[in-house]
């Protein structure tokens, strides 16, 4: 549907996007994730032809978009865009939703039927007469989606659609995005800095860091097999680098890092350098004085709790075992087990939960 | 104290009986200042739009010049226009000196800068996101400009009202270009100057009250027009949105 080739964007001499290559398929939900300021918004603006690239091309449905403004307008009219901070005009909700149709010179009677349908879609049929500036943030965002969808676009672009919303409103918007994709087959391209949201919604995810598309793939690829330490850290995974494979039997390998030996699954051969990535929810912690720690878990490391950071109903516990391991455990078990900074613990990780990549220093970190 | 109470009595009397002299002066004031306001708005709003929506060399300098002209003294405008339209001036052939037409010209020139400057700020006050949103919704350049002007309507209205206020309240241009000729170019402000000088305080106070009333009526009407455009009341919302 949209093909991006060697796309770069500079602004006042600063590179915002560098050499992006990507194919977005018709009907998929594609999510860009990355830290704030990584260039996600700029990329969406370029795709919607609201800004011009410094170099590279965007092909929309087989058509090169580096064309006259009039032709760009007709391409842009096949897309809908929802901004992070929805801007509504000082008019009624219905009038706001009607703008796109008005601009396309759709007859009045047709506007009269399509606007209520769009408001019905986003679950706000009763608000059509309200003045738009009086709406709540979540309602405004839904009106913005209705306003984009009323023109029946082939592609819907959403820039951090839930960034400023409460959890309930966010859930509504997420449901809506999935529903639109299913019901109309609309290709959806969105950005988020919320990795979990990306995972929930997207068919495919593209990770953008400092203006580069560093990895693109399914959510499980990104979350369990990140292509490098930087991505791993961003998606909340501990990276332990500088290891060497000492032995590999049918994919079942021993990897030595410093004085510690890990068991993991990999295709890397003995002698190759390796980095290990471990998701914090895969790390179990037991107090070191309890002997019940012996289980099917092969990788057991003793260490001390270094840091504890509450995160909703969970606590992120950082354990120093000579290397750093992070574990995500519930608040309740944290209290029950009497964990505090300095408590000696045994950290366990299953061999299957360790993701092994060639170490960046040894071989290329990318895919 | 006596002057004041007597004056107010006389003023009420003049107004209630619809004194023909007072009505003629008030009518002429309204005619001249409203004409100047309409002409100035027709020039200032499109030019302000052009300045706002385009980037060009010297834009900042132009904005500073416009803002400086907010406070141009009315007598300076009077002097310049006088020199332009006097018999020997470049526009002398129009025969506008000491005529209502000349006064309209003078007041128009006087209020264009303030209207233009305030319309530019009004357009600049529209959220940037609105402009991007309109383009993203498929607006052409022209459709975008129209919607942004509509969005800034209250602030633009304020600019127009302020221009009218400056026009109807000024004395310099009216005196120098009009000449305060009875039944021909005598307006509320010049009449007040003259009558006060002659000690006719009642007449002056009556004209003063009428001047304020006329201003009130025009402002109310202009507000009703804009609120009619948008089905909501600027009274509740504070008048100048966006």
């Amino acid at each position: 549907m949209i093909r991006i080739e060697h796309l770069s964007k500079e602004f006042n001499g600063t590179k915002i996007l560098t050499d992006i290559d990507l194919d977005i398929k018709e009907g998929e939900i594609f999510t860009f994730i990355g830290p704030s300021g990584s260039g996600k918004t700029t990329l969406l603006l370029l795709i919607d032809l609201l800004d011009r690239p410094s170099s590279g091309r965007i092909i929309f449905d087989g058509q090169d978009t580096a064309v006259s403004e009039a032709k760009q307008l007709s391409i842009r009219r096949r897309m809908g865009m929802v901004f992070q901070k929805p801007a509504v005009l000082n008019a009624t909700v219905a009038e706001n939703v009607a703008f796109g149709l008005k601009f396309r010179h759709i007859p009045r009677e047709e506007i009269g039927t399509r606007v209520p349908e769009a408001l019905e879609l986003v679950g706000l049929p009763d608000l059509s007469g309200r003045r738009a500036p009086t709406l709540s943030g979540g309602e405004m965002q839904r009106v913005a989606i209705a306003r984009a969808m009323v023109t029946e676009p082939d592609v819907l672009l959403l820039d951090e659609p839930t960034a400023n919303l409460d959890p309930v409103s966010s859930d509504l918007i997420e449901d809506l995005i999935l529903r639109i994709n299913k019901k109309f087959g609309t290709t959806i391209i969105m950005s988020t800095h919320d990795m979990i949201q990306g995972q929930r919604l997207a068919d495919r995810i593209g990770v953008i860091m400092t203006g580069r598309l560093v990895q693109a793939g399914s959510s499980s690829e990104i979350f369990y097999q990140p292509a490098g330490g930087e991505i791993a850290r961003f998606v909340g995974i501990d990276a332990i680098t500088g290891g060497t494979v000492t032995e590999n039997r049918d994919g079942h390998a021993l990897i030595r890092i410093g004085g510690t030996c890990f068991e993991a699954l990999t295709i890397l051969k003995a002698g190759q350098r390796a980095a290990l990535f471990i998701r914090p929810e895969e790390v179990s912690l037991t107090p070191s004085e309890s002997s019940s720690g012996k289980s099917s878990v092969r990788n057991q490391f003793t260490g001390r709790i270094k840091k504890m950071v509450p995160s909703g109903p969970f606590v992120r516990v950082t354990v120093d075992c000579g290397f750093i391991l992070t574990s995500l455990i519930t608040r309740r078990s944290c209290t029950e087990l009497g964990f505090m900074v300095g408590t000696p613990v045994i950290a366990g990780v299953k061999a299957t939960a360790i993701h092994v990549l060639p170490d960046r220093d040894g071989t290329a970190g990318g895919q | 104290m006596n002057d004041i109470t007597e004056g107010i009595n006389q003023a009420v009397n003049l107004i209630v009986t619809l004194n023909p002299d007072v009505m003629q002066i008030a009518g002429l004031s309204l005619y001249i200042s409203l004409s100047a306001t309409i002409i100035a708005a027709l020039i200032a709003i499109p030019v302000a739009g052009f300045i706002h929506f385009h980037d060009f060399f010297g834009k900042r300098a132009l904005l500073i010049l416009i803002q400086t002209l907010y406070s141009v003294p009315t007598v300076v405008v009077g002097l310049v226009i006088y020199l332009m339209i006097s018999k020997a001036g470049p526009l002398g052939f129009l025969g506008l000196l000491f005529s209502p037409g000349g006064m309209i010209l003078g007041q128009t020139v006087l209020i264009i800068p303030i209207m233009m400057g305030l319309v530019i700020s009004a357009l600049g006050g529209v959220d940037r996101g609105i402009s991007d949103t309109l383009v993203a919704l498929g607006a052409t350049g022209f459709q975008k400009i129209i919607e942004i002007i509509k969005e800034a309507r209250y602030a633009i209205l304020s600019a127009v009202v302020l221009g009218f206020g400056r026009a109807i309240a000024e004395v310099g241009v009216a005196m120098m270009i009009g000449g305060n000729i009875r039944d021909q170019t005598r307006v509320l402000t010049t009449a007040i100057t003259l009558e006060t000088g002659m000690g006719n305080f009642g007449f002056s106070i009556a004209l003063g009250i009428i001047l304020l009333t006329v201003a009130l009526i025009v402002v109310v009407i202009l507000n009703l027009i804009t609120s009619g455009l948008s089905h909501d009341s600027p009274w509740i919302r504070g008048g100048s949105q966006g």
Side-chain angles (χ1 to χ4, degrees), chain A residues 131-147:
Chain A
R131 310 262 344 142
T134 65
L135 299 176
S136 73
E139 288 166 341
M140 266 192 208
Q141 197 58 281
R142 280 148 79 194
V143 168
I145 293 175
R147 186 166 63 181

PDB file of all heavy atoms in Angstrom, chain A residues 131-147:
ATOM      1  N   ARG A 131     -20.824  21.849  21.323  1.00  0.00           N
ATOM      2  CA  ARG A 131     -19.689  22.626  20.812  1.00  0.00           C
ATOM      3  C   ARG A 131     -18.427  21.807  21.069  1.00  0.00           C
ATOM      4  O   ARG A 131     -18.161  21.406  22.208  1.00  0.00           O
ATOM      5  CB  ARG A 131     -19.572  23.976  21.533  1.00  0.00           C
ATOM      6  CG  ARG A 131     -20.831  24.749  21.601  1.00  0.00           C
ATOM      7  CD  ARG A 131     -21.050  25.823  20.586  1.00  0.00           C
ATOM      8  NE  ARG A 131     -19.917  26.297  19.818  1.00  0.00           N
ATOM      9  CZ  ARG A 131     -20.017  26.621  18.530  1.00  0.00           C
ATOM     10  NH1 ARG A 131     -21.159  26.486  17.891  1.00  0.00           N
ATOM     11  NH2 ARG A 131     -18.995  27.095  17.903  1.00  0.00           N
ATOM     12  N   ALA A 132     -17.669  21.580  20.022  1.00  0.00           N
ATOM     13  CA  ALA A 132     -16.515  20.685  20.128  1.00  0.00           C
ATOM     14  C   ALA A 132     -15.493  21.100  21.189  1.00  0.00           C
ATOM     15  O   ALA A 132     -14.938  20.238  21.862  1.00  0.00           O
ATOM     16  CB  ALA A 132     -15.858  20.536  18.758  1.00  0.00           C
ATOM     17  N   PRO A 133     -15.220  22.409  21.368  1.00  0.00           N
ATOM     18  CA  PRO A 133     -14.196  22.749  22.369  1.00  0.00           C
ATOM     19  C   PRO A 133     -14.587  22.400  23.809  1.00  0.00           C
ATOM     20  O   PRO A 133     -13.736  22.427  24.690  1.00  0.00           O
ATOM     21  CB  PRO A 133     -14.031  24.271  22.224  1.00  0.00           C
ATOM     22  CG  PRO A 133     -14.541  24.578  20.860  1.00  0.00           C
ATOM     23  CD  PRO A 133     -15.629  23.589  20.608  1.00  0.00           C
ATOM     24  N   THR A 134     -15.859  22.060  24.049  1.00  0.00           N
ATOM     25  CA  THR A 134     -16.269  21.728  25.413  1.00  0.00           C
ATOM     26  C   THR A 134     -16.097  20.234  25.720  1.00  0.00           C
ATOM     27  O   THR A 134     -16.411  19.792  26.812  1.00  0.00           O
ATOM     28  CB  THR A 134     -17.744  22.100  25.661  1.00  0.00           C
ATOM     29  OG1 THR A 134     -18.559  21.286  24.816  1.00  0.00           O
ATOM     30  CG2 THR A 134     -18.013  23.563  25.347  1.00  0.00           C
ATOM     31  N   LEU A 135     -15.610  19.442  24.749  1.00  0.00           N
ATOM     32  CA  LEU A 135     -15.493  18.000  24.970  1.00  0.00           C
ATOM     33  C   LEU A 135     -14.278  17.665  25.840  1.00  0.00           C
ATOM     34  O   LEU A 135     -13.342  18.450  25.939  1.00  0.00           O
ATOM     35  CB  LEU A 135     -15.313  17.285  23.627  1.00  0.00           C
ATOM     36  CG  LEU A 135     -16.440  17.423  22.607  1.00  0.00           C
ATOM     37  CD1 LEU A 135     -16.038  16.744  21.318  1.00  0.00           C
ATOM     38  CD2 LEU A 135     -17.730  16.836  23.139  1.00  0.00           C
ATOM     39  N   SER A 136     -14.305  16.461  26.426  1.00  0.00           N
ATOM     40  CA  SER A 136     -13.135  15.988  27.173  1.00  0.00           C
ATOM     41  C   SER A 136     -12.075  15.505  26.181  1.00  0.00           C
ATOM     42  O   SER A 136     -12.357  15.318  24.998  1.00  0.00           O
ATOM     43  CB  SER A 136     -13.537  14.836  28.080  1.00  0.00           C
ATOM     44  OG  SER A 136     -13.771  13.676  27.298  1.00  0.00           O
ATOM     45  N   GLY A 137     -10.860  15.284  26.674  1.00  0.00           N
ATOM     46  CA  GLY A 137      -9.766  14.858  25.808  1.00  0.00           C
ATOM     47  C   GLY A 137     -10.079  13.581  25.038  1.00  0.00           C
ATOM     48  O   GLY A 137      -9.836  13.490  23.840  1.00  0.00           O
ATOM     49  N   GLY A 138     -10.643  12.595  25.748  1.00  0.00           N
ATOM     50  CA  GLY A 138     -10.958  11.324  25.116  1.00  0.00           C
ATOM     51  C   GLY A 138     -12.033  11.477  24.049  1.00  0.00           C
ATOM     52  O   GLY A 138     -11.958  10.898  22.968  1.00  0.00           O
ATOM     53  N   GLU A 139     -13.051  12.298  24.379  1.00  0.00           N
ATOM     54  CA  GLU A 139     -14.132  12.536  23.404  1.00  0.00           C
ATOM     55  C   GLU A 139     -13.602  13.246  22.164  1.00  0.00           C
ATOM     56  O   GLU A 139     -13.950  12.903  21.037  1.00  0.00           O
ATOM     57  CB  GLU A 139     -15.245  13.376  24.044  1.00  0.00           C
ATOM     58  CG  GLU A 139     -16.065  12.622  25.075  1.00  0.00           C
ATOM     59  CD  GLU A 139     -16.936  13.532  25.937  1.00  0.00           C
ATOM     60  OE1 GLU A 139     -16.680  14.751  26.004  1.00  0.00           O
ATOM     61  OE2 GLU A 139     -17.880  13.013  26.548  1.00  0.00           O
ATOM     62  N   MET A 140     -12.713  14.239  22.408  1.00  0.00           N
ATOM     63  CA  MET A 140     -12.133  14.967  21.274  1.00  0.00           C
ATOM     64  C   MET A 140     -11.373  14.023  20.358  1.00  0.00           C
ATOM     65  O   MET A 140     -11.452  14.124  19.146  1.00  0.00           O
ATOM     66  CB  MET A 140     -11.154  16.026  21.776  1.00  0.00           C
ATOM     67  CG  MET A 140     -11.774  17.381  21.946  1.00  0.00           C
ATOM     68  SD  MET A 140     -10.488  18.604  22.196  1.00  0.00           S
ATOM     69  CE  MET A 140     -11.386  19.801  23.171  1.00  0.00           C
ATOM     70  N   GLN A 141     -10.608  13.101  20.985  1.00  0.00           N
ATOM     71  CA  GLN A 141      -9.829  12.174  20.174  1.00  0.00           C
ATOM     72  C   GLN A 141     -10.759  11.283  19.353  1.00  0.00           C
ATOM     73  O   GLN A 141     -10.483  10.996  18.200  1.00  0.00           O
ATOM     74  CB  GLN A 141      -8.925  11.341  21.095  1.00  0.00           C
ATOM     75  CG  GLN A 141      -7.772  10.629  20.419  1.00  0.00           C
ATOM     76  CD  GLN A 141      -6.839  11.556  19.687  1.00  0.00           C
ATOM     77  OE1 GLN A 141      -7.131  12.001  18.571  1.00  0.00           O
ATOM     78  NE2 GLN A 141      -5.718  11.873  20.286  1.00  0.00           N
ATOM     79  N   ARG A 142     -11.903  10.888  19.945  1.00  0.00           N
ATOM     80  CA  ARG A 142     -12.843  10.048  19.178  1.00  0.00           C
ATOM     81  C   ARG A 142     -13.494  10.857  18.061  1.00  0.00           C
ATOM     82  O   ARG A 142     -13.737  10.345  16.974  1.00  0.00           O
ATOM     83  CB  ARG A 142     -13.896   9.447  20.110  1.00  0.00           C
ATOM     84  CG  ARG A 142     -13.340   8.224  20.847  1.00  0.00           C
ATOM     85  CD  ARG A 142     -13.924   8.076  22.225  1.00  0.00           C
ATOM     86  NE  ARG A 142     -15.254   7.494  22.223  1.00  0.00           N
ATOM     87  CZ  ARG A 142     -16.059   7.513  23.291  1.00  0.00           C
ATOM     88  NH1 ARG A 142     -15.660   8.112  24.411  1.00  0.00           N
ATOM     89  NH2 ARG A 142     -17.246   6.963  23.231  1.00  0.00           N
ATOM     90  N   VAL A 143     -13.775  12.133  18.341  1.00  0.00           N
ATOM     91  CA  VAL A 143     -14.319  12.994  17.287  1.00  0.00           C
ATOM     92  C   VAL A 143     -13.287  13.129  16.157  1.00  0.00           C
ATOM     93  O   VAL A 143     -13.622  13.067  14.976  1.00  0.00           O
ATOM     94  CB  VAL A 143     -14.689  14.392  17.835  1.00  0.00           C
ATOM     95  CG1 VAL A 143     -14.970  15.370  16.697  1.00  0.00           C
ATOM     96  CG2 VAL A 143     -15.916  14.287  18.732  1.00  0.00           C
ATOM     97  N   ALA A 144     -12.010  13.255  16.548  1.00  0.00           N
ATOM     98  CA  ALA A 144     -10.958  13.372  15.529  1.00  0.00           C
ATOM     99  C   ALA A 144     -10.905  12.108  14.674  1.00  0.00           C
ATOM    100  O   ALA A 144     -10.693  12.174  13.461  1.00  0.00           O
ATOM    101  CB  ALA A 144      -9.607  13.624  16.197  1.00  0.00           C
ATOM    102  N   ILE A 145     -11.133  10.945  15.304  1.00  0.00           N
ATOM    103  CA  ILE A 145     -11.135   9.693  14.535  1.00  0.00           C
ATOM    104  C   ILE A 145     -12.357   9.647  13.611  1.00  0.00           C
ATOM    105  O   ILE A 145     -12.255   9.296  12.439  1.00  0.00           O
ATOM    106  CB  ILE A 145     -11.088   8.463  15.475  1.00  0.00           C
ATOM    107  CG1 ILE A 145      -9.733   8.431  16.201  1.00  0.00           C
ATOM    108  CG2 ILE A 145     -11.308   7.172  14.704  1.00  0.00           C
ATOM    109  CD1 ILE A 145      -9.601   7.336  17.245  1.00  0.00           C
ATOM    110  N   ALA A 146     -13.523  10.071  14.151  1.00  0.00           N
ATOM    111  CA  ALA A 146     -14.732  10.109  13.323  1.00  0.00           C
ATOM    112  C   ALA A 146     -14.517  11.040  12.133  1.00  0.00           C
ATOM    113  O   ALA A 146     -14.916  10.749  11.000  1.00  0.00           O
ATOM    114  CB  ALA A 146     -15.924  10.592  14.159  1.00  0.00           C
ATOM    115  N   ARG A 147     -13.864  12.159  12.393  1.00  0.00           N
ATOM    116  CA  ARG A 147     -13.631  13.175  11.368  1.00  0.00           C
ATOM    117  C   ARG A 147     -12.723  12.631  10.261  1.00  0.00           C
ATOM    118  O   ARG A 147     -12.886  12.941   9.093  1.00  0.00           O
ATOM    119  CB  ARG A 147     -12.976  14.380  12.059  1.00  0.00           C
ATOM    120  CG  ARG A 147     -12.786  15.593  11.226  1.00  0.00           C
ATOM    121  CD  ARG A 147     -12.460  16.777  12.108  1.00  0.00           C
ATOM    122  NE  ARG A 147     -11.196  16.589  12.819  1.00  0.00           N
ATOM    123  CZ  ARG A 147     -10.687  17.478  13.666  1.00  0.00           C
ATOM    124  NH1 ARG A 147     -11.325  18.604  13.916  1.00  0.00           N
ATOM    125  NH2 ARG A 147      -9.557  17.263  14.267  1.00  0.00           N
TER     126      ARG A 147
END
